[in-house]
Amino acid sequence: MYSRRFDWDAQPHPLSQATDNQMVRGKTIVNLVDANPTRCGFAYPEDAILSAIARPDAMTYDPAPRGLPAARDAVCAYYREQGAVVSAERILLTAGTSEAYGLLFKLLADPGDEILIPRPGYPLLSHLAGFEGLICHAYPLRYSEASGWRVDLEVVSALVTTRTRAVVVVSPNNPTGNYIKSEELAALDTLCRKHGLALIVDEVFADFPRRPSHPAVKSVVNRTSALTFVLNGVSKMLGLPQLKLGWIVAGGDPRETVTAMERLELLMDFYLTVGTPVQTGTAQLLAGRQDIQHQINARLTDNEAWLDARLTGTANICRLAREGGWYAVLSIDDAIGDDARALTLIEKAGTLIHPGLFYDFYREGFVVLSLLLPPERFAHGVSSLIRRFGRPAA
Ligand SMILES: Cc1ncc(COP(=O)(O)O)c(C=O)c1O
């Protein structure tokens, strides 16, 4: 009766079952992977946000498949502040970045076509592609202490087949935190042009830099000549996922950009998913972003510094270099499997971590943590992890 889109293992992972069991028993869980900013104790400029989405002009419904002009102008202003000139004709608003992926996959690929995605990477990507009937091939990001995470460009190009339609880059990547470097971008741009592929670059974490190593690209907008779609939205930028506002900036090849925008507009005309109140408020919301971004960046830095200090006394756990984003990746040297470690920690200490395997790390021995948590909760959870799995430094 149902489509093959659901032909994947939808059974809850033992880790979520174990977490639910703990909650049913009334145990308090420390969720060390909580990346929901609205639950992390930030002082949102509530009056300003609520007044932005309660403007009188939100009472008029004026359907605009690309998004209301004033909201698209506000997105242009955001890029102008970053030094990139973008015309509103190249911007299409969406109800979040996940929806933007779905639209782009519909635009670019037929069922059975292929896209290339980063590994390790954002777990939702392969599902979003799968729902459009696409096949994902993962290209590796390789880590070294000297250079951090780098795209294995040789493998990317070896993965291209006649059915490949797009290369996806997440910059900074979730969860590894690396920005795309200018030489990587140039190589991917050349590859995409050579094979007629589109480049999709997800920059939802771009406003949260830590130590971008040279020559990291802060935004890919206006930096490519292959057909390129840059994704962003307020979910991370303003820490407000519930507003459901994202956008696509189309660019690169100017002729293809016009065609792509026309087709995206047509697609969006069937859905018209973006709410009016968030669009009439976009200019005010984006103009006020510094306040929350400052708080989030301070939190990420403070938690990371605390984590590093705590890890100096530990022989077998270290944090991998982070250029940006909201996550810390720990490498743990022990004989315990990643799933077993996470299960033990939730069952014995009520602390939830994500095994690296959730993000398709290429081997066992990695843990992913959110750096967004309130400091006490973060310290409590990390201390549980280190107590159970850390070996004291000699
Ligand atoms: C890399 C990345 N892209 C996109 C999204 C989804 O963003 P949105 O809430 O705008 O759909 C997330 C959410 O965590 C993400 O981590």
Side-chain angles (χ1 to χ4, degrees), residues 96-98 122 170 174 202 204-205 235-236:
T97 314
S98 302
Y122 177 44
V170 181
N174 173 355
D202 177 338
V204 297
F205 290 112
S235 168
K236 312 289 186 256

Side-chain angles (χ1 to χ4, degrees), residues 35 94-101 122-125 128 170-174 202-205 231-236 240-242 244-246 326-327:
T94 63
T97 314
S98 302
E99 183 181 70
Y101 276 116
Y122 177 44
L124 226 70
L125 256 180
L128 293 171
V170 181
S171 175
N173 191 40
N174 173 355
D202 177 338
E203 296 184 346
V204 297
F205 290 112
L231 313 184
N232 212 328
V234 306
S235 168
K236 312 289 186 256
L240 291 170
Q242 70 273 41
K244 305 305 297 174
L245 178 70
W326 290 3
Y327 301 94

Side-chain angles (χ1 to χ4, degrees), residues 94-170:
T94 63
T97 314
S98 302
E99 183 181 70
Y101 276 116
L103 288 170
L104 291 173
F105 295 156
K106 283 186 192 63
L107 170 76
L108 297 166
D110 290 309
D113 282 343
E114 299 165 10
I115 58 163
L116 307 186
I117 61 171
R119 172 185 190 192
Y122 177 44
L124 226 70
L125 256 180
S126 53
H127 293 295
L128 293 171
F131 287 142
E132 304 301 333
L134 309 188
I135 296 161
C136 290
H137 292 297
Y139 64 84
L141 305 176
R142 305 218 186 266
Y143 185 79
S144 74
E145 244 171 72
S147 352
W149 293 96
R150 293 290 156 127
V151 176
D152 189 330
L153 293 164
E154 269 179 38
V155 177
V156 185
S157 101
L159 286 171
V160 175
T161 73
T162 53
R163 298 220 59 176
T164 310
R165 293 291 172 263
V167 179
V168 178
V169 170
V170 181

Side-chain angles (χ1 to χ4, degrees), residues 316-340:
N316 63 327
I317 308 182
C318 66
R319 184 179 63 75
L320 304 195
R322 180 178 77 91
E323 293 182 35
W326 290 3
Y327 301 94
V329 177
L330 302 183
S331 156
I332 303 197
D333 180 12
D334 61 17
I336 303 163
D338 283 3
D339 278 352

Side-chain angles (χ1 to χ4, degrees), residues 37 42 44 78 82 171-173 177-179 203-212 218 232-240 289-301 304 322-327 371-372:
F42 294 109
Y44 283 89
Y78 166 79
Q82 325 286 317
S171 175
N173 191 40
N178 51 302
Y179 284 82
E203 296 184 346
V204 297
F205 290 112
D207 279 358
F208 304 96
R210 177 61 180 138
R211 287 186 205 88
K218 165 87 197 295
N232 212 328
V234 306
S235 168
K236 312 289 186 256
M237 186 180 283
L238 303 179
L240 291 170
R289 70 186 181 282
Q290 256 77 24
D291 180 344
I292 190 68
Q293 287 191 356
H294 180 74
Q295 293 181 56
I296 293 178
N297 276 318
R299 174 76 58 80
L300 300 168
T301 310
E304 185 182 74
R322 180 178 77 91
E323 293 182 35
W326 290 3
Y327 301 94
L371 290 168
L372 217 53

